[in-house]
Amino acid sequence: MKTAFITGVTGQDGAYLAALLISKGYRVIGGYRRSSNQTFWRLAELNTLAHPSFCLVEHDLTDPHSSFAVLSTYQPDEVYNLAAQSYVTASFSQPSATAQISGLGAQTLLEAVRLSRREIRVYQASSAEMFGKVRASPQDELTPFHPRSPYGVAKLFAHWSAVNHREAYEMFVASGILFNHESPLRGEEFVTRKIAKAACRISLGAQARLRLGNLHAKRDWGFAGDYVEGMWRMLQAPKPDTFVLATGTTTSVREFADLAFLNAGMELIWRGRGADEVGVCATSGRTVVEVDPALYRPAEVDVLIGRPNKAERELGWRPQIKVAELAKMMVAAEFHWVGARPGLLPEASTPPIRSPATALTA
Ligand code: NAP
Ligand code: GDD
């Protein structure tokens, strides 16, 4: 039985990865940081929390002693570093904390592995945000970086630390440059979940309007369940490397809103431009989406689109779920949670949250 240590197990990817590794026969040690309000709901949704192969352990990425203690107590074969301050907007208001956690924290963990058991295989969660003001499209492993946020800068430090540990110490450190991946378990501050939740609530009359920032930003959105499989495959490869995981298609925030509202039974018509643009319900004529310039970022990443050819060729990884199905899954989950049924969904009884394993065999 292999043992894996996942940092940031309470987050979206942590929950999906823990479920995947348990389904593959691993013992999973899930690192969570102490807080006054614990967030174990994702692990509970995927039936991981009480699983006999799963164990929670207190761990803070910024504390080297904390990492040494976990490594020596549990002797993991694989470490997945998913912990981060991962919200780009918050990185502008908390740049130092973001650098400490998402940048220096990753290097601290790599050093803990190097100084304790350097044969441990490590996965570093790198990000398409590192491409930022993109130098080429689509982006792949050879595209130069140009981060546009303190988060992107911190992730770039962590990425190069991963590469450096691989080269300097011959450690097995894989870096996954992952494009946006979403799910019903996504944090509510991220735009897809914010939209899915609002589409459900607005259609049920529980919310009047949805306020969004830049409607025209485009992202390469995939399903988190598919992406955690890619993380695992990177650590099973014959040699450590850097891989892009993406779908190869890009969709604007406005187009994602169209998809989400349609799944909630509402067609949107867009009127106006810039900060005056609004989304109007085609049936009622009511404005349900509006722009709030306070949600614009100091620097924006306009368009991301990845080219995952290397992962497909060398890892046999291919995303299964496209953006339209993702939007449908996310909106269905919102209705499921409030105990309602969306009027227009033909298969309202479909289980709303897919586990990673079912996603890959579907
Ligand atoms: P997430 O939901 O925000 O989860 C982040 C996790 O990190 C949470 O469990 C959080 O704990 C934990 N954490 C934060 N600070 C910590 C600290 N000092 N010590 C220990 N744990 C800490 O993020 P995600 O979407 O699952 O993403 C997982 C990783 O992939 C992140 O590193 C993210 O930057 C990266 N990534 C994500 C995407 C994406 O589209 N999802 C794309 C590329 C890269 P709390 O629950 O206590 O906050
Ligand atoms: N969050 C949010 N809220 N974003 C909005 C909103 C809003 O109300 N309105 C428009 N947007 C735009 C943002 O400006 C951005 O261009 C886009 O929607 C996506 O924003 P997020 O969902 O917050 O994700 P992100 O792309 O900034 O970052 C995510 O993906 C990265 C990988 O590319 C995060 O998961 C990062 O941790 C990850 O590294």
Side-chain angles (χ1 to χ4, degrees), residues 2-7 17 21 26-27 29 71 74-82 106 109-125 162 165-166 169-176 230-241 243 314-315:
K2 274 193 190 174
T3 297
F5 171 44
I6 303 175
T7 72
L17 181 63
L21 296 181
Y26 280 69
R27 174 173 75 134
I29 312 303
L71 296 178
Y74 296 98
Q75 304 272 313
D77 303 286
E78 298 173 4
V79 170
Y80 295 84
N81 183 31
L82 307 187
L109 179 65
L110 286 164
E111 280 294 275
V113 170
R114 179 174 80 83
L115 296 169
S116 50
R117 274 195 334 129
R118 73 169 71 177
E119 66 271 24
I120 295 173
R121 294 189 170 205
V122 182
Y123 171 82
Q124 169 57 27
H165 273 70
R166 191 195 292 160
Y169 309 117
E170 295 181 4
M171 286 167 58
F172 194 113
V173 185
S175 180
M231 296 175 189
W232 174 75
R233 288 188 186 212
M234 284 182 216
L235 293 200
Q236 314 315 309
K239 62 178 180 56
D241 209 341
F243 293 95
E314 296 185 19
L315 304 176

Side-chain angles (χ1 to χ4, degrees), residues 27 30 43 50 62 86 131 149 157 161 185 206 209 243 255 275 277 310 332 360:
R27 174 173 75 134
L43 296 163
T62 59
S86 74
F131 295 123
S149 63
F157 176 84
S161 299
L185 305 185
R209 284 189 186 185
F243 293 95
E255 288 162 344
E277 192 163 3
K310 180 175 169 185
L360 286 155

Side-chain angles (χ1 to χ4, degrees), residues 8-13 33 39 59-62 82-84 86 101 125-127 151 155 178-182 186:
V9 80
T10 56
Q12 169 190 258
D13 291 6
R33 61 177 170 168
T39 50
H59 172 254
D60 191 307
L61 191 62
T62 59
L82 307 187
S86 74
I101 301 169
S126 296
S127 166
Y151 168 80
K155 280 288 179 185
L178 271 52
F179 284 65
N180 300 49
H181 44 279
E182 320 290 311
R186 190 58 146 142

